[in-house]
Amino acid sequence: EPEVTQTPSHQVTQMGQEVILRCVPISNHLYFYWYRQILGQKVEFLVSFYNNEISEKSEIFDDQFSVERPDGSNFTLKIRSTKLEDSAMYFCASSGRGGARNEQFFGPGTRLTVL
Amino acid sequence: AQKVTQAQTEISVVEKEDVTLDCVYETRDTTYYLFWYKQPPSGELVFLIRRNSFDEQNEISGRYSWNFQKSTSSFNFTITASQVVDSAVYFCALSEDGTSGSRLTFGEGTQLTVNP
């Protein structure tokens, strides 16, 4: 069964460093998402991406964040200068079509720890 | 704006008990979708069910059942004869139709602990 994969599973970085979280969505999917879950809290939407551009972003997704689909398979989230409060689990998701009716398939997540 | 409220932060039951997890939502849209996800201790998000706003029929899947009531804006989830493996955090989520990349808005989650 096709699945969303994410690497690395755990990333530790120093405050102020740049990190890139990688995701490989399901191969025939066209819509991609990033969500964040601070430890013990709810899952929060960051950004959605379609046709090589951002469809929607939340207030969390400020200028330090960026997303990219550098090739036909990867979807990345870059945090330019990490802060302590960026420590969280980051989930990538993809769906075959847009719209609320279509299930978003989640990856296993990348746990980011900022020291 | 869309909002999901899961008032029960933690629930603890003994195995074989039935347990209901509450979910109340807010939305201005007439077309929307409701979801339940399970997050076991390993951390991944496991999709359980999707329900659209026009379908108020209750659904049963094995030991799981869902009760959708538009009149009270609720989408409650019941586990019958709970098992230790049901221990997890359960999230209710809402997505509004009308945009191409529809965000999921999650509730705070309910930590369910099933004790042997």
Side-chain angles (χ1 to χ4, degrees):
Chain A
E1 186 175 328
E3 58 183 18
V4 177
T5 60
Q6 291 185 242
T7 54
S9 57
H10 191 187
Q11 172 100 40
V12 181
T13 190
Q14 296 290 325
M15 189 171 58
Q17 294 295 305
E18 174 183 286
V19 294
I20 298 176
L21 309 183
R22 291 182 167 78
C23 168
V24 179
I26 294 173
S27 63
N28 61 347
H29 282 186
L30 301 175
Y31 295 83
F32 314 115
Y33 311 82
W34 283 101
Y35 291 83
R36 179 183 82 175
Q37 184 182 30
I38 294 171
L39 185 63
Q41 298 186 21
K42 66 179 176 182
V43 180
E44 300 172 292
F45 169 79
L46 290 177
V47 65
S48 60
F49 190 86
Y50 168 70
N51 199 27
N52 280 320
E53 60 182 29
I54 291 174
S55 305
E56 187 182 5
K57 61 182 180 179
S58 72
E59 57 278 4
I60 301 171
F61 194 87
D62 60 22
D63 291 343
Q64 70 161 342
F65 292 95
S66 62
V67 290
E68 191 180 25
R69 188 149 163 84
D71 53 44
S73 60
N74 289 285
F75 179 51
T76 62
L77 174 68
K78 181 192 291 186
I79 309 175
R80 288 193 185 82
S81 178
T82 51
K83 305 171 189 170
L84 295 177
E85 54 265 36
D86 293 327
S87 294
M89 181 76 92
Y90 289 81
F91 291 102
C92 173
S94 69
S95 63
R97 290 185 290 182
R101 67 181 63 83
N102 294 290
E103 178 191 344
Q104 295 178 24
F105 294 80
F106 283 82
T110 292
R111 179 164 299 284
L112 176 65
T113 302
V114 182
L115 303 175
Chain B
Q2 51 191 20
K3 183 180 178 182
V4 177
T5 301
Q6 294 179 255
Q8 303 151 308
T9 306
E10 295 181 26
I11 299 176
S12 182
V13 299
V14 176
E15 206 169 18
K16 298 184 184 176
E17 282 185 27
D18 297 348
V19 58
T20 295
L21 310 182
D22 297 334
C23 173
V24 173
Y25 62 91
E26 295 176 31
T27 177
R28 294 177 188 161
D29 276 20
T30 55
T31 303
Y32 52 90
Y33 292 78
L34 296 162
F35 302 78
W36 276 95
Y37 284 86
K38 175 182 180 180
Q39 187 174 44
S42 49
E44 73 271 24
L45 288 166
V46 179
F47 167 79
L48 296 178
I49 190 172
R50 173 184 58 239
R51 173 66 76 204
N52 76 57
S53 53
F54 297 108
D55 183 1
E56 287 194 71
Q57 276 195 340
N58 290 336
E59 181 157 341
I60 298 175
S61 176
R63 296 184 297 107
Y64 296 168
S65 62
W66 291 270
N67 183 348
F68 175 33
Q69 293 196 350
K70 286 179 76 170
S71 60
T72 56
S73 298
S74 64
F75 186 45
N76 296 337
F77 173 31
T78 297
I79 302 174
T80 303
S82 60
Q83 300 175 1
V84 173
V85 293
D86 295 327
S87 296
V89 180
Y90 291 85
F91 291 97
C92 180
L94 166 71
S95 185
E96 294 171 339
D97 208 0
T99 60
S100 60
S102 297
R103 66 168 72 186
L104 284 169
T105 296
F106 285 82
E108 301 285 343
T110 298
Q111 169 72 62
L112 174 64
T113 302
V114 182
N115 298 298

mmCIF file of all heavy atoms in Angstrom, chain B residues 42-60:
data_model
loop_
_atom_site.group_PDB
_atom_site.id
_atom_site.type_symbol
_atom_site.label_atom_id
_atom_site.label_comp_id
_atom_site.label_asym_id
_atom_site.label_seq_id
_atom_site.Cartn_x
_atom_site.Cartn_y
_atom_site.Cartn_z
ATOM 1 N N SER B 42 3.292 5.529 19.370
ATOM 2 C CA SER B 42 4.365 5.623 18.378
ATOM 3 C C SER B 42 4.339 6.947 17.607
ATOM 4 O O SER B 42 5.317 7.305 16.951
ATOM 5 C CB SER B 42 4.285 4.454 17.402
ATOM 6 O OG SER B 42 2.961 4.309 16.915
ATOM 7 N N GLY B 43 3.229 7.671 17.670
ATOM 8 C CA GLY B 43 3.195 9.038 17.158
ATOM 9 C C GLY B 43 2.564 9.274 15.801
ATOM 10 O O GLY B 43 2.266 10.429 15.475
ATOM 11 N N GLU B 44 2.363 8.247 15.020
ATOM 12 C CA GLU B 44 1.787 8.509 13.694
ATOM 13 C C GLU B 44 0.298 8.817 13.802
ATOM 14 O O GLU B 44 -0.338 8.548 14.816
ATOM 15 C CB GLU B 44 2.026 7.307 12.758
ATOM 16 C CG GLU B 44 1.179 6.079 13.059
ATOM 17 C CD GLU B 44 1.817 5.143 14.052
ATOM 18 O OE1 GLU B 44 2.668 5.595 14.859
ATOM 19 O OE2 GLU B 44 1.453 3.946 14.041
ATOM 20 N N LEU B 45 -0.257 9.398 12.782
ATOM 21 C CA LEU B 45 -1.686 9.715 12.729
ATOM 22 C C LEU B 45 -2.379 8.688 11.837
ATOM 23 O O LEU B 45 -2.076 8.570 10.655
ATOM 24 C CB LEU B 45 -1.904 11.117 12.182
ATOM 25 C CG LEU B 45 -1.510 12.256 13.106
ATOM 26 C CD1 LEU B 45 -1.457 13.572 12.344
ATOM 27 C CD2 LEU B 45 -2.483 12.356 14.274
ATOM 28 N N VAL B 46 -3.331 8.005 12.420
ATOM 29 C CA VAL B 46 -4.029 6.941 11.704
ATOM 30 C C VAL B 46 -5.451 7.388 11.418
ATOM 31 O O VAL B 46 -6.212 7.690 12.340
ATOM 32 C CB VAL B 46 -4.033 5.637 12.530
ATOM 33 C CG1 VAL B 46 -4.793 4.539 11.778
ATOM 34 C CG2 VAL B 46 -2.614 5.201 12.853
ATOM 35 N N PHE B 47 -5.802 7.443 10.149
ATOM 36 C CA PHE B 47 -7.143 7.848 9.736
ATOM 37 C C PHE B 47 -8.156 6.784 10.158
ATOM 38 O O PHE B 47 -7.944 5.587 9.960
ATOM 39 C CB PHE B 47 -7.155 8.014 8.215
ATOM 40 C CG PHE B 47 -8.511 8.138 7.587
ATOM 41 C CD1 PHE B 47 -9.181 9.336 7.619
ATOM 42 C CD2 PHE B 47 -9.104 7.056 6.955
ATOM 43 C CE1 PHE B 47 -10.428 9.463 7.021
ATOM 44 C CE2 PHE B 47 -10.346 7.178 6.365
ATOM 45 C CZ PHE B 47 -11.012 8.375 6.396
ATOM 46 N N LEU B 48 -9.284 7.223 10.741
ATOM 47 C CA LEU B 48 -10.331 6.302 11.152
ATOM 48 C C LEU B 48 -11.591 6.453 10.304
ATOM 49 O O LEU B 48 -12.166 5.465 9.851
ATOM 50 C CB LEU B 48 -10.684 6.511 12.628
ATOM 51 C CG LEU B 48 -9.586 6.207 13.644
ATOM 52 C CD1 LEU B 48 -10.071 6.513 15.052
ATOM 53 C CD2 LEU B 48 -9.128 4.753 13.536
ATOM 54 N N ILE B 49 -12.045 7.692 10.122
ATOM 55 C CA ILE B 49 -13.301 7.891 9.408
ATOM 56 C C ILE B 49 -13.402 9.313 8.864
ATOM 57 O O ILE B 49 -12.809 10.247 9.420
ATOM 58 C CB ILE B 49 -14.518 7.621 10.322
ATOM 59 C CG1 ILE B 49 -15.816 7.594 9.492
ATOM 60 C CG2 ILE B 49 -14.590 8.651 11.438
ATOM 61 C CD1 ILE B 49 -17.027 7.144 10.269
ATOM 62 N N ARG B 50 -14.126 9.438 7.766
ATOM 63 C CA ARG B 50 -14.508 10.730 7.201
ATOM 64 C C ARG B 50 -16.021 10.735 7.021
ATOM 65 O O ARG B 50 -16.611 9.750 6.588
ATOM 66 C CB ARG B 50 -13.854 10.941 5.834
ATOM 67 C CG ARG B 50 -14.313 12.178 5.095
ATOM 68 C CD ARG B 50 -13.697 12.266 3.700
ATOM 69 N NE ARG B 50 -14.011 11.101 2.904
ATOM 70 C CZ ARG B 50 -13.084 10.288 2.385
ATOM 71 N NH1 ARG B 50 -11.809 10.533 2.578
ATOM 72 N NH2 ARG B 50 -13.440 9.243 1.673
ATOM 73 N N ARG B 51 -16.648 11.845 7.349
ATOM 74 C CA ARG B 51 -18.089 11.972 7.217
ATOM 75 C C ARG B 51 -18.389 13.337 6.619
ATOM 76 O O ARG B 51 -17.866 14.342 7.075
ATOM 77 C CB ARG B 51 -18.743 11.825 8.589
ATOM 78 C CG ARG B 51 -20.212 12.101 8.643
ATOM 79 C CD ARG B 51 -20.967 11.073 7.844
ATOM 80 N NE ARG B 51 -21.048 9.803 8.564
ATOM 81 C CZ ARG B 51 -21.232 8.638 7.967
ATOM 82 N NH1 ARG B 51 -21.325 8.560 6.670
ATOM 83 N NH2 ARG B 51 -21.316 7.549 8.682
ATOM 84 N N ASN B 52 -19.263 13.413 5.597
ATOM 85 C CA ASN B 52 -19.612 14.723 5.050
ATOM 86 C C ASN B 52 -20.864 15.278 5.708
ATOM 87 O O ASN B 52 -21.649 14.537 6.307
ATOM 88 C CB ASN B 52 -19.737 14.664 3.523
ATOM 89 C CG ASN B 52 -21.025 14.008 3.061
ATOM 90 O OD1 ASN B 52 -22.118 14.453 3.427
ATOM 91 N ND2 ASN B 52 -20.912 12.972 2.258
ATOM 92 N N SER B 53 -21.039 16.567 5.565
ATOM 93 C CA SER B 53 -22.087 17.273 6.302
ATOM 94 C C SER B 53 -23.488 16.912 5.853
ATOM 95 O O SER B 53 -24.466 17.256 6.529
ATOM 96 C CB SER B 53 -21.879 18.786 6.171
ATOM 97 O OG SER B 53 -21.770 19.167 4.817
ATOM 98 N N PHE B 54 -23.621 16.252 4.717
ATOM 99 C CA PHE B 54 -24.949 15.899 4.223
ATOM 100 C C PHE B 54 -25.364 14.487 4.606
ATOM 101 O O PHE B 54 -26.473 14.052 4.282
ATOM 102 C CB PHE B 54 -24.996 16.061 2.699
ATOM 103 C CG PHE B 54 -24.763 17.481 2.271
ATOM 104 C CD1 PHE B 54 -23.566 17.840 1.663
ATOM 105 C CD2 PHE B 54 -25.711 18.452 2.495
ATOM 106 C CE1 PHE B 54 -23.334 19.155 1.288
ATOM 107 C CE2 PHE B 54 -25.490 19.768 2.113
ATOM 108 C CZ PHE B 54 -24.300 20.114 1.511
ATOM 109 N N ASP B 55 -24.494 13.794 5.269
ATOM 110 C CA ASP B 55 -24.769 12.410 5.602
ATOM 111 C C ASP B 55 -24.782 12.237 7.115
ATOM 112 O O ASP B 55 -23.731 12.121 7.733
ATOM 113 C CB ASP B 55 -23.712 11.495 4.972
ATOM 114 C CG ASP B 55 -24.006 10.036 5.229
ATOM 115 O OD1 ASP B 55 -25.023 9.714 5.880
ATOM 116 O OD2 ASP B 55 -23.196 9.196 4.781
ATOM 117 N N GLU B 56 -25.970 12.230 7.681
ATOM 118 C CA GLU B 56 -26.072 12.127 9.131
ATOM 119 C C GLU B 56 -26.290 10.705 9.603
ATOM 120 O O GLU B 56 -26.552 10.476 10.780
ATOM 121 C CB GLU B 56 -27.204 13.019 9.637
ATOM 122 C CG GLU B 56 -26.871 14.496 9.598
ATOM 123 C CD GLU B 56 -27.858 15.320 10.397
ATOM 124 O OE1 GLU B 56 -27.836 15.247 11.637
ATOM 125 O OE2 GLU B 56 -28.645 16.049 9.770
ATOM 126 N N GLN B 57 -26.180 9.771 8.713
ATOM 127 C CA GLN B 57 -26.328 8.386 9.143
ATOM 128 C C GLN B 57 -25.194 7.996 10.062
ATOM 129 O O GLN B 57 -24.038 8.327 9.828
ATOM 130 C CB GLN B 57 -26.290 7.462 7.918
ATOM 131 C CG GLN B 57 -27.611 7.317 7.210
ATOM 132 C CD GLN B 57 -27.603 6.140 6.253
ATOM 133 O OE1 GLN B 57 -26.553 5.668 5.839
ATOM 134 N NE2 GLN B 57 -28.774 5.671 5.893
ATOM 135 N N ASN B 58 -25.536 7.300 11.111
ATOM 136 C CA ASN B 58 -24.494 6.782 11.986
ATOM 137 C C ASN B 58 -23.733 5.675 11.267
ATOM 138 O O ASN B 58 -24.268 5.025 10.358
ATOM 139 C CB ASN B 58 -25.103 6.236 13.270
ATOM 140 C CG ASN B 58 -25.640 7.350 14.147
ATOM 141 O OD1 ASN B 58 -25.199 8.488 14.048
ATOM 142 N ND2 ASN B 58 -26.602 7.026 14.983
ATOM 143 N N GLU B 59 -22.497 5.506 11.657
ATOM 144 C CA GLU B 59 -21.681 4.492 10.997
ATOM 145 C C GLU B 59 -21.055 3.584 12.037
ATOM 146 O O GLU B 59 -20.669 4.026 13.117
ATOM 147 C CB GLU B 59 -20.585 5.152 10.156
ATOM 148 C CG GLU B 59 -19.714 4.145 9.408
ATOM 149 C CD GLU B 59 -19.032 4.741 8.211
ATOM 150 O OE1 GLU B 59 -19.469 5.792 7.719
ATOM 151 O OE2 GLU B 59 -18.040 4.145 7.747
ATOM 152 N N ILE B 60 -20.994 2.323 11.691
ATOM 153 C CA ILE B 60 -20.385 1.329 12.570
ATOM 154 C C ILE B 60 -19.320 0.591 11.773
ATOM 155 O O ILE B 60 -19.544 0.177 10.630
ATOM 156 C CB ILE B 60 -21.432 0.330 13.087
ATOM 157 C CG1 ILE B 60 -22.493 1.056 13.916
ATOM 158 C CG2 ILE B 60 -20.762 -0.761 13.916
ATOM 159 C CD1 ILE B 60 -23.633 0.168 14.355
#
